[in-house]
Amino acid sequence: MRAPTLRSAITSAALALVVGGSLVAAAPAGAVTQRTDSTTPSSAITGMWAWGNPIDPTEDARGEGLPQFEPQALADFAAAHHLRTVFLSVPWAADEGPFSTWLTDAVDALHAAGVTKVAALGGDPAWADDPSLAATWTSAALRAAPFDAVQFDVEPWVVSSDDQLPAVVAQLQAMYDAARTAAGSVPIGADLPWWLAAKPQPGGGTAFDALLPHLKSVAIVAFSDHAAGTDGIIALAKPAASAAAAKRIPFSIGVETDTPEVAGGPAATFGDDSAALLESETAKVRTALGGLRGYGGVTVEHLLSWQDLIAR
């Protein structure tokens, strides 16, 4: 469940940190897909967020009726782009109604296409206030389909001051821990913005450092449309990537392809650029950060906008 206005706030706050040095937060499924494709296997992009579903909304109110999310369509796209990770959005009570069949078929099809990690993706900000909700969602998602992991995109970053951030961090710690208990042996990961690695915690370290022990993997969100420079992907992501590497937490670098209106401005997204620029700039990210322990490539936000970019 993406929140465009929230992502805009995050991006605006992040740019304030880069420019001013401080942050005032305002902030048929069984078919096997062969890997014969028209894209280069040397792409730095290894994963994507996939927000949406193909369920007919007349059959279930949670349905979005998007054919791009049919299991074989997902598998074909993943195979064509040599993806290893897919974060697949999962609604509330996924084990009820038609979602379980679709999710199971999608996970199976993606595995057959070579994807090694299909994670149940969820992101309701209310879960930070009530960790039991995250645990309930996690249990239902794992009953619905054989996911390899759980991925949280919960972003309670719109706070009035930095003084409130430690409390937000504590909320997320509790939420991740509740979900981890519900998930059992299935690992818990999260999307975290790069600027958390620049925010000190009262007890030492950064907000990013404080969250890492509660996770098995992290997608470092560093939304920029260029790799180099003080406001480029590499400079933004490197402190968080280095922190994850030091703790031996696998990580990827997240980039955006949605519209500037959603992303928070044209500098935050490749959505108003080109697929060729996305490939060339993420290759630079791989060159700069690929030597760090646990580096897992670049993850693209999100399936539909990335497909739109490619189609231009």
Side-chain angles (χ1 to χ4, degrees):
M1 51 192 80
R2 302 189 75 238
T5 56
L6 183 57
R7 288 196 178 276
S8 298
I10 294 169
T11 302
S12 299
L15 290 175
L17 180 58
V18 172
V19 174
S22 62
L23 172 65
V24 179
V32 176
T33 300
Q34 299 297 320
R35 284 181 174 271
T36 56
D37 55 73
S38 59
T39 61
T40 171
S42 63
S43 174
I45 298 170
T46 59
M48 68 177 177
W49 283 275
W51 296 96
N53 66 70
I55 305 300
D56 188 336
T58 64
E59 182 181 359
D60 189 300
R62 298 167 294 174
E64 298 179 46
L66 297 168
Q68 299 94 325
F69 289 85
E70 291 291 350
Q72 197 57 44
L74 284 171
D76 289 344
F77 186 83
H81 294 276
H82 300 270
L83 301 184
R84 300 196 301 268
T85 300
V86 172
F87 301 140
L88 184 60
S89 63
V90 175
W92 184 260
D95 57 339
E96 299 176 6
F99 277 88
S100 184
T101 298
W102 164 62
L103 288 169
T104 298
D105 289 347
V107 171
D108 290 345
L110 287 165
H111 283 158
V115 175
T116 56
K117 177 181 176 180
V118 185
L121 173 62
D124 190 330
W127 298 348
D129 293 321
D130 187 350
S132 69
L133 296 176
T136 299
W137 171 84
T138 297
S139 296
L142 297 180
R143 284 194 299 268
F147 287 104
D148 306 297
V150 173
Q151 186 77 7
F152 285 104
D153 184 40
V154 176
E155 305 171 353
W157 313 119
V158 182
V159 295
S160 59
S161 72
D162 284 354
D163 292 341
Q164 293 176 274
L165 188 57
V168 171
V169 168
Q171 287 181 312
L172 288 178
Q173 290 171 331
M175 187 195 77
Y176 297 148
D177 289 347
R180 183 171 58 184
T181 297
S185 61
V186 178
I188 300 295
D191 307 337
L192 297 177
W194 62 270
W195 52 262
L196 288 179
K199 309 308 295 182
Q201 282 283 97
T206 69
F208 190 83
D209 295 328
L211 294 171
L212 283 180
H214 302 264
L215 300 168
K216 292 298 184 182
S217 66
V218 60
I220 300 168
V221 177
F223 289 170
S224 176
D225 67 350
H226 52 282
T230 57
D231 60 349
I233 300 165
I234 296 166
L236 298 182
K238 189 171 183 179
S242 298
K247 295 294 184 181
R248 301 191 176 191
I249 302 295
F251 67 93
S252 66
I253 307 299
V255 299
E256 177 70 277
T257 61
D258 216 323
T259 65
E261 292 75 19
V262 170
T269 180
F270 291 95
D272 59 343
D273 297 310
S274 68
L277 186 67
L278 172 65
E279 292 288 345
S280 64
E281 293 302 294
T282 53
K284 296 174 186 176
V285 173
R286 177 179 58 192
T287 298
L289 303 179
L292 293 174
R293 180 193 294 269
Y295 172 81
V298 173
T299 305
V300 171
E301 175 78 57
H302 55 94
L303 170 62
L304 296 180
S305 57
W306 187 14
Q307 288 178 329
D308 288 344
L309 189 66
I310 293 168
R312 290 180 199 159

